[in-house]
């Protein structure tokens, strides 16, 4: 058993799409603690199992890592779940832990609200949809929503707080492939985002059973009593 085996399970147990673990916290999860290089070099945290074999233990949890050596922590992002991993990587070394925590929480808030709204109004996406689970764990990552359609077919629903990117299509394709092997037939899938650039739309055409859905945020105002 690898010294990093427990890391995968520990990361999978966290339901958030993006979260922070300090080096000290990671020392308690990794058998024997992190090596000194993990606290000093970006290369150690490269999200590439071919060059850094230990990376597979967070990649297997569907996560990508961005270290902050100045403040002693790592940001783990649920693959392309929020499409904020690039932004987090660019600001992570310039931010305090409190600032980055606030940034992560504000990014997650919209997706949580979006997820709550969809769960409460699944019929808006498609009549006959029923919820199976939220934040469903799989061997290839954590799905936002898992549902069944009126004919009993599995429907994977992924949410993006903002415009979907190319990586979203790869994420959906990975989930579809995994469930097709697990259930013996390919599932359907829905990708919900605020918008889809033309390259993403073209990529989506190559995945049978994938439906793109846009959402709009609306505000309602009413006078408050004094």
């Amino acid at each position: 058993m690898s010294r990093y085996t427990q890391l995968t399970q520990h990361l999978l147990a966290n339901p958030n799409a993006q979260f922070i673990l300090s080096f000290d916290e990671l020392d308690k999860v990794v058998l024997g603690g992190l090596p000194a290089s993990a606290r000093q070099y970006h290369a150690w945290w490269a999200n590439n199992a071919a060059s850094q074999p230990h990376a597979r233990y967070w990649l297997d949890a569907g996560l990508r890592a961005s270290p902050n050596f100045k403040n002693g922590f790592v940001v783990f992002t649920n693959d392309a779940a929020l499409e904020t991993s690039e932004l987090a990587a660019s600001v992570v070394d310039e931010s305090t832990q409190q600032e980055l925590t606030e940034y992560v929480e504000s990014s997650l808030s919209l997706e949580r609200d979006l997820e709550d709204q969809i769960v409460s109004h699944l019929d808006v996406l498609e009549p006959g949809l029923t919820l199976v689970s939220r934040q469903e764990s799989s061997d290839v990552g954590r799905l936002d929503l898992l549902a069944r359609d009126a004919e009993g077919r599995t429907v994977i629903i992924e949410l993006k707080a903002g415009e979907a990117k190319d990586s979203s299509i790869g994420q959906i394709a990975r989930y579809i492939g995994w469930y097709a092997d697990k259930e013996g037939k390919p599932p359907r899938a829905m990708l919900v985002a605020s918008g889809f650039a033309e390259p993403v739309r073209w990529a989506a055409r190559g995945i049978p059973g994938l439906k793109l859905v846009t959402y709009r945020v609306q505000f309602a105002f009413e006078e408050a009593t004094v």
Side-chain angles (χ1 to χ4, degrees), residues 126 143 145 153-158 171-173 175-176 186-192 207-213:
E126 181 179 294
L143 291 71
L145 299 173
R153 189 174 176 184
T154 296
V155 182
I156 295 166
I157 304 173
E158 279 300 307
Q171 182 185 16
I172 285 286
Y175 293 154
I176 289 175
R188 297 174 54 210
M190 295 183 183
L191 179 57
V192 182
I207 304 179
L210 174 59
K211 178 181 180 181
L212 303 183
V213 180

Side-chain angles (χ1 to χ4, degrees), residues 5-69:
T5 299
Q6 294 183 44
L7 178 60
T8 303
Q9 297 304 315
H10 183 80
L11 295 174
L12 282 172
N14 193 309
N16 294 325
Q18 194 174 63
F19 57 95
I20 296 170
L21 288 177
S22 69
F23 289 138
D24 289 342
E25 289 172 322
L26 287 165
D27 276 339
K28 298 176 182 178
V29 177
V30 175
L31 187 63
L34 292 171
S37 55
R39 295 172 176 264
Q40 302 176 51
Y41 303 113
H42 280 281
W44 196 93
W45 293 100
N47 296 292
N48 187 334
S51 61
Q52 301 291 348
H54 54 267
R56 67 178 288 264
Y57 293 96
W58 63 78
L59 293 173
D60 282 352
L63 300 169
R64 302 180 68 80
S66 297
N68 182 313
F69 300 117

Side-chain angles (χ1 to χ4, degrees), residues 83-127:
E83 302 298 353
T84 54
S85 56
E86 293 92 349
L87 180 57
S90 68
V91 303
V92 70
D93 280 331
E94 302 172 6
S95 307
T96 65
Q97 184 164 359
Q98 179 180 351
E99 290 170 339
L100 191 57
T101 298
E102 291 173 354
Y103 156 74
V104 169
E105 289 177 347
S106 64
S107 298
L108 287 170
S109 179
L110 176 56
E111 184 171 282
R112 281 196 296 263
D113 291 343
L114 178 60
E115 183 177 311
D116 288 341
Q117 284 297 312
I118 289 178
V119 167
S120 300
H121 304 88
L122 273 177
D123 58 319
V124 173
L125 285 183
E126 181 179 294

